[in-house]
């Protein structure tokens, strides 16, 4: 029995220390913060931890400006105008709906009973506004996951209300995939049957067949921890990657499937150099290189690549991704942490240390 407890303790220790104990043979050496030998991310022009934006994966200045107006004045009209001018078929509308809903949800958490009043006013005064309905539905989803416990009556009641509002939003904007993408989280939480989920997914594919955000949301349903399995998630991701049009980031979806099934404690030597991880990272790197520079989902893929490239000890490639995404951390894998900015900066520091331990410097890093 004592041996069993020792093994359990060892596994817990590895789970906590694993990410910060990555080493390059003969390369990275732990030193005290502030030491002259410590790698310093500031020398690369990276943002300080407290300056990192946890709301979004990448820049969207129009959204930031409108969020400032809405939260500063508690008036919803600027949000309505922005969504009305955002194309339905692209990824940006989905990201903006998530951001507005997240802002209202966080306001409510910080000021119970008062926060997010602008969203309630928006829905009350503009009941036919499709953007308001979509944001309201996503707000309810985020509230359920943030404040409820999966499987409880309260959790189900909130998600049932979200499903109703998704239906209202879909009727107000027939060609918009966003209400159905919001419902993907409802399907996961309420445990739709595979047949029900397929019917919902068909509505999304009809409207936006290459929508990366929708595919990531759907992938969660098929994961082992929800309503599928490792094999089903893998098949879903591989099928999407195989039919991805030229320049689509769907080729990176298998990497998200691998991430969703990473072991909590990795005891397999060379796991991150194995065929499965190497192939998925290769597909994601190809997708990043082929994608448009202004693809709004590009930052999502780059953020996930940083985690894998650091764990694979591919320091220079990790640094190249960091140059493009630094400043924003509102994406997987960082948002899985209670402190996304802190989690991100740990990996950034490891990338810098590994890069410099192998001869890299600010002067040799292309921008």
């Amino acid at each position: 029995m004592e041996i069993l407890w020792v093994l359990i303790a060892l596994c817990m220790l590895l789970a906590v220390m694993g990410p910060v104990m990555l080493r390059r043979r003969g390369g990275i050496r732990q030193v005290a913060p502030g030491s002259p030998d410590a790698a310093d991310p500031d020398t690369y022009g990276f943002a300080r931890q407290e300056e990192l934006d946890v709301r979004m994966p990448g820049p969207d200045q129009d959204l930031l400006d409108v969020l400032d107006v809405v939260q500063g004045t508690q008036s919803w009209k600027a949000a309505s105008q922005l969504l009305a001018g955002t194309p339905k078929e692209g990824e940006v509308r989905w990201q903006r709906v998530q951001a507005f809903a997240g802002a209202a949800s966080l306001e409510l958490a910080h000021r119970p009973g008062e926060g997010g009043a602008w969203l309630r006013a928006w829905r009350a005064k503009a009941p036919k506004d499709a953007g308001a309905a979509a944001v309201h539905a996503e707000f309810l989803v985020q509230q359920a996951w943030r404040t409820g416990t999966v499987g409880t009556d309260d959790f189900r009641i909130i998600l049932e209300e979200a499903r109703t509002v998704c239906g209202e939003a879909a009727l107000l904007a027939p060609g918009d995939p966003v209400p159905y993408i919001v419902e993907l989280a409802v399907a996961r939480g309420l445990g739709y049957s595979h047949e029900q989920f397929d019917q919902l997914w068909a509505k999304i594919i009809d409207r936006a067949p290459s929508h990366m955000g929708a595919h990531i949301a759907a992938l969660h349903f098929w994961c082992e921890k929800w309503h599928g399995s490792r094999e089903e998630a893998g098949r879903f991701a591989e099928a999407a990657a195989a039919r991805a049009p030229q320049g689509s980031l769907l080729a990176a979806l298998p990497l998200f499937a691998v991430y969703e099934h990473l072991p909590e404690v990795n005891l397999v030597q060379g796991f991150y150099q194995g065929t499965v991880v190497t192939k998925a990272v290769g597909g994601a790197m190809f997708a990043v290189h082929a994608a448009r520079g202004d693809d709004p989902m590009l930052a999502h893929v780059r953020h996930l690549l940083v985690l894998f490239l650091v764990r694979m000890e591919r320091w220079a490639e990790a640094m190249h991704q960091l140059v493009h995404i630094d400043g924003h951390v509102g994406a997987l894998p960082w948002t899985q942490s209670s402190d996304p900015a802190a989690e991100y900066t740990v990996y950034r520091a490891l990338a810098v240390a590994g890069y410099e331990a192998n001869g890299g410097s600010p002067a040799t890093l292309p921008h």
Side-chain angles (χ1 to χ4, degrees), residues 26-110:
I28 299 178
R29 176 168 57 88
Q30 294 277 348
V31 296
S35 164
D37 294 325
D40 186 2
D42 286 350
T43 62
Y44 293 85
F46 291 147
R48 299 174 65 87
Q49 181 176 326
E50 61 270 20
E51 297 171 344
L52 294 169
D53 192 323
V54 301
R55 297 170 295 179
M56 298 181 297
D60 183 342
Q61 194 58 50
D62 289 341
L63 174 61
L64 289 177
D65 291 344
V66 169
L67 275 173
D68 286 342
V69 170
V70 169
Q71 294 187 303
T73 66
Q74 289 296 297
S75 171
W76 49 270
K77 292 184 179 180
S80 177
Q81 291 171 355
L82 182 65
L83 285 183
T86 305
K88 295 177 181 178
E89 63 278 4
E91 305 274 356
V92 175
R93 184 176 179 84
W94 168 230
Q95 293 190 17
R96 288 176 172 174
V97 165
Q98 287 181 298
F100 284 129
S105 182
L106 287 174
E107 277 187 31
L108 186 60
H110 293 152

Side-chain angles (χ1 to χ4, degrees), residues 254-265:
L255 186 64
F256 287 82
V258 172
Y259 170 74
E260 291 295 335
H261 294 91
L262 286 177
E264 290 188 15
V265 179

Side-chain angles (χ1 to χ4, degrees), residues 22 46 255 259 272 281 284-285 288 298-326 328-329 332-334 343-352:
L22 292 165
F46 291 147
L255 186 64
Y259 170 74
Y272 287 96
V281 168
M285 295 286 281
V288 165
L298 188 55
H300 285 270
V301 181
R302 290 190 187 278
H303 278 288
L304 194 59
L305 273 170
V306 168
L307 178 138
F308 279 93
L309 291 170
V310 167
R311 292 187 179 183
M312 297 169 82
E313 303 181 10
R314 291 164 59 171
W315 314 115
E317 291 166 289
M319 290 293 288
H320 181 70
Q321 303 305 322
L322 287 167
V323 166
H324 290 280
I325 61 173
D326 194 72
H328 299 83
V329 294
L332 288 174
W334 326 120
E343 185 78 1
Y344 169 81
T345 51
V346 167
Y347 277 84
R348 187 178 66 185
L350 286 167
V352 171

